[in-house]
């Protein structure tokens, strides 16, 4: 299939490098074939609505000016305002932003939210900048995006290397640049804010908690216990840490972790809170954690375990390592961690994959609760947030599980079919303007 993102290496005539967009389009096309998606709607959904690229200057601590490139891709808004995170990472580019925006459209549709999908970020390594520089970069990026975001139009949230602090800066900058009478009414321009600034209690853990819930619901369907199950986590950030925290509470055992700095293993078990405190004290790195031995990077995915949770970046499970995976369940905390070729190998081996658009949707569901809280001038209690999140996640899991059983298809294809059918229905009801 010809795609818009394949990059050809002219000198060596190597096979084209597969981008993230190739991956999401292949997933989409295969589900579109399954449901017989209307050809006009296939055309619309295969492309993004808007792509905003901004280059903006920021003064560094030493007085020099640096130019940054930021992206916001708005894939589709048939079901509601664009929704999705902003990431700060050297891998952020237009291909990644397009693919990630598309995944958000499927995710919000599958979760039954009144949102479309968007994604963006800045191409940078945040560890190279001071807190003051990151604040100025974030504020200037928000100013550059200007009216391309808004509480009823496009609502960013945290993603890789962005936090509640980042969201507080965005909200403050956005509100400060509105006309006076509109300022405080625009708090819900972003979600994932700190609790003191309109944030939702429980939003911090919602993605990891949702990953854990999906694993729990899967185990219940299989009549299996989580107690004693061994699991490995790639990425020990917000998603990986919280998923591990809740799995450990159920008696499952964390046996290996990989982060950007290194990999560790202990088949007897790694205490999640000890590792969390260690990494906090070591600039976010798990390397040299005393309770575990270090592991070669390339051996991480072949570690003995029952459950594997990729919770870092995309394209991590590929044809290079899928065959070595020991886990029988992959729970995708990250977006796009398994590429199409890797997935094929896993499915042939009988491995179950709980796909990203279902598995990590707890974050955007909690974002929706935060948005409602702000819009309605309410303050929700943690127990209500958790109860509502449990219900939403269970409904989505059951829908995907039952569809996959009745149509005899894998979970990802089932999740896509449900998601794209909901969008198709909206287009058929409304028609195409003019
Ligand atoms: N960045 C998260 C995701 O990929 C959350 C998005 C949101 O809350 O809008 O789902």
């Amino acid at each position: 299939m010809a795609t818009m993102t394949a990059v050809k290496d002219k000198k060596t005539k190597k096979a084209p490098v597969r981008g993230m967009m190739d991956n999401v389009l292949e997933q989409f096309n295969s589900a579109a074939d399954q449901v017989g998606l209307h050809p006009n709607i296939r055309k619309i959904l295969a492309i993004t609505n808007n792509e905003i690229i901004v280059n903006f200057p920021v003064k560094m601590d030493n007085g020099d000016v640096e130019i940054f490139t930021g992206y916001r891709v708005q894939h589709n808004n048939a079901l509601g305002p664009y929704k999705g995170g902003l990431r700060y990472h050297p891998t952020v580019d237009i291909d990644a932003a397009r693919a990630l925006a598309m995944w958000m459209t499927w995710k919000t549709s599958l979760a039954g939210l009144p949102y479309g999908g968007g994604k963006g970020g800045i191409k940078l390594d945040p560890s190279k900048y001071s807190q003051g520089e990151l604040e100025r970069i974030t504020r200037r990026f928000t100013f550059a995006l200007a009216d391309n975001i808004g509480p009823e139009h496009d609502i960013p949230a945290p993603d890789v290397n962005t936090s509640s602090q980042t969201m507080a800066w965005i909200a403050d900058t956005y509100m400060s640049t509105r006309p006076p009478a509109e300022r405080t009414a625009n708090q819900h321009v972003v979600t994932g804010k700190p609790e003191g600034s309109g944030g939702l209690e429980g939003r911090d853990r919602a993605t990891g908690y949702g990953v854990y819930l999906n694993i729990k619901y899967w185990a219940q369907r299989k009549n299996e216990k989580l107690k004693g199950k061994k699991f490995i986590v790639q990425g020990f950030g917000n998603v990986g840490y919280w998923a591990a925290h809740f799995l450990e509470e159920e008696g499952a055992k964390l046996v290996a972790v990989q982060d950007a700095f290194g990999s560790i293993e202990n088949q007897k078990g790694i205490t999640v809170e000890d590792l969390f405190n260690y990494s906090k004290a070591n600039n976010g790195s798990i390397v040299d954690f005393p309770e575990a031995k270090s592991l070669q990077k390339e051996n991480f995915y072949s570690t003995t375990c029952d459950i594997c949770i990729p919770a870092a970046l995309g394209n991590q499970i590929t044809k290079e390592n899928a065959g070595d995976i020991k886990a029988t369940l992959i729970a995708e905390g990250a977006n796009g961690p398994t590429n199409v070729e890797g997935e094929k190998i896993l499915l042939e081996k009988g491995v179950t994959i709980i796909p990203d658009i279902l598995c990590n949707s707890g974050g955007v569901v909690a974002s929706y609760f935060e948005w409602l809280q702000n819009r309605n001038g309410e303050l929700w209690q943690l127990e209500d947030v958790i109860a509502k999140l449990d219900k939403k996640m269970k409904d989505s899991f059951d829908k995907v599980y039952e569809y996959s059983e009745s149509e005899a298809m894998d979970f990802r294809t089932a999740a896509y079919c449900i998601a794209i059918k909901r969008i198709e229905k909206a287009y058929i009801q409304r028609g195409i303007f003019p």
Side-chain angles (χ1 to χ4, degrees):
M1 183 194 64
T3 73
M4 53 207 279
T5 56
V7 184
K8 204 153 203 143
D9 186 330
K10 283 202 189 91
K11 268 189 230 131
T12 56
K13 292 231 168 50
K14 270 201 223 140
V17 176
R18 290 177 55 82
M20 284 166 97
M21 199 50 187
D22 295 307
N23 211 30
V24 66
L25 278 177
E26 265 190 62
Q27 294 171 346
F28 165 66
N29 281 320
S30 117
D33 290 343
Q34 292 281 348
V35 297
L37 187 70
H38 192 290
N40 289 341
I41 293 159
R42 191 193 277 243
K43 278 189 222 162
I44 296 170
L45 293 179
I47 197 136
T48 60
N49 283 2
N50 304 306
E51 301 184 345
I52 301 128
I53 303 180
V54 290
N55 298 309
F56 55 94
V58 179
K59 203 186 274 179
M60 297 291 104
D61 290 345
N62 67 3
D64 288 352
V65 165
E66 215 176 294
I67 308 293
F68 295 88
T69 303
Y71 302 84
R72 185 70 182 171
V73 171
Q74 299 168 335
H75 170 242
N76 188 272
N77 62 350
L79 299 175
Y82 303 105
K83 185 84 191 85
L86 291 173
R87 64 172 59 179
Y88 289 1
H89 199 270
T91 58
V92 171
D93 60 14
I94 194 66
D95 178 79
R98 280 177 184 146
L100 290 159
M102 233 180 223
W103 275 313
M104 284 311 303
T105 302
W106 320 141
K107 199 185 297 185
T108 52
S109 174
L110 175 66
L113 303 178
Y115 289 141
K119 197 70 145 224
I122 307 175
K123 189 181 195 65
L124 90 173
D125 175 356
S127 69
K128 299 211 158 59
Y129 299 92
S130 71
Q131 187 76 347
E133 288 170 336
L134 287 171
E135 174 172 355
R136 292 195 296 281
I137 293 166
T138 301
R139 289 184 181 278
R140 189 61 204 240
F141 179 39
T142 309
F143 184 74
L145 287 175
D147 287 339
N148 291 299
I149 58 170
E152 311 292 332
H153 172 51
D154 183 355
I155 309 135
D159 200 84
V160 175
N161 291 336
T162 53
S163 62
S164 57
Q165 176 62 77
T166 323
M167 298 306 118
W169 291 328
I170 297 176
D172 184 64
T173 308
Y174 185 85
M175 291 193 289
S176 302
T177 51
R178 297 294 103 190
E182 285 174 28
R183 274 180 199 159
T184 48
N186 279 296
Q187 207 174 28
H188 52 310
V189 63
V190 282
T191 56
K193 299 179 291 292
E195 279 165 37
S197 305
L200 181 83
E201 236 190 301
R203 174 64 184 84
D204 56 351
R205 71 206 68 177
T207 311
Y209 181 66
V211 170
Y212 148 74
L213 286 178
N214 272 285
I215 296 171
K216 188 172 93 172
Y217 300 146
W218 170 82
Q220 283 167 353
R221 291 278 186 163
K222 297 271 147 209
N223 250 329
E224 287 190 29
K225 295 233 165 336
L226 289 179
K227 194 168 163 39
K229 286 257 184 311
K230 290 182 172 181
F231 67 99
I232 64 173
V233 178
Q234 188 192 40
F236 204 61
N238 200 35
V239 183
Y241 160 67
W242 281 108
H245 169 95
F246 291 110
L247 282 168
E248 189 183 56
E249 274 187 358
E250 289 276 339
K253 211 194 274 181
L254 176 64
V255 294
V257 182
Q258 180 170 74
D259 71 2
F261 308 96
S263 314
I264 57 169
E265 180 188 10
N266 182 352
Q267 285 291 330
K268 294 209 177 78
I270 293 166
T271 310
V272 175
E273 285 328 296
D274 289 354
L275 183 62
F276 179 69
N277 291 331
Y278 177 86
S279 97
K280 232 179 25 192
N282 285 277
N283 289 322
S285 163
I286 58 162
V287 172
D288 291 334
F289 177 61
E291 268 181 53
K293 62 172 199 224
S294 85
L295 190 64
Q296 287 293 323
K297 186 174 190 276
E298 56 277 15
N299 293 337
F300 173 75
Y301 274 112
S302 54
T303 310
T304 302
C305 65
D306 304 294
I307 303 165
C308 166
I309 307 175
L313 295 170
N315 276 341
Q316 298 300 301
I317 302 178
T318 62
K319 66 174 185 323
E320 314 302 332
N321 58 11
D324 300 328
I325 287 182
K326 306 282 189 312
T328 52
L329 177 71
I330 313 271
E332 294 185 336
N335 292 308
T338 313
N339 78 6
V340 172
E341 294 165 328
E343 172 144 23
K344 198 161 168 279
I345 296 169
L346 291 170
L347 293 178
E348 274 161 14
K349 288 206 311 178
V351 175
T352 302
I353 304 168
I354 308 181
D356 45 11
I357 60 169
L358 169 65
C359 197
N360 70 36
S361 62
V364 73
V365 170
S367 276
Y368 170 57
F369 297 157
E370 179 173 328
W371 185 74
L372 286 180
Q373 169 182 271
N374 297 157
R375 231 175 162 220
N376 300 336
E378 294 171 356
L379 285 174
W380 293 23
Q381 304 293 310
L382 182 60
E383 60 201 40
D384 296 333
V385 172
I386 298 292
K388 285 193 160 71
L389 195 54
D390 283 350
K391 180 165 187 328
K392 262 308 215 174
M393 299 305 291
K394 179 87 170 69
D395 287 350
S396 295
F397 181 87
D398 287 347
K399 259 195 302 193
V400 172
Y401 191 92
E402 275 144 31
Y403 197 97
S404 89
E405 291 277 293
S406 71
E407 301 295 316
M409 53 175 64
D410 61 272
F411 283 169
R412 189 182 319 275
T413 313
Y416 263 71
C417 289
I418 298 168
I420 61 181
K421 278 199 331 199
R422 183 174 166 224
I423 304 169
E424 180 183 46
K425 190 170 166 197
Y427 273 113
I428 288 171
Q429 286 169 344
R430 286 177 1 198
I432 304 290
F433 172 82

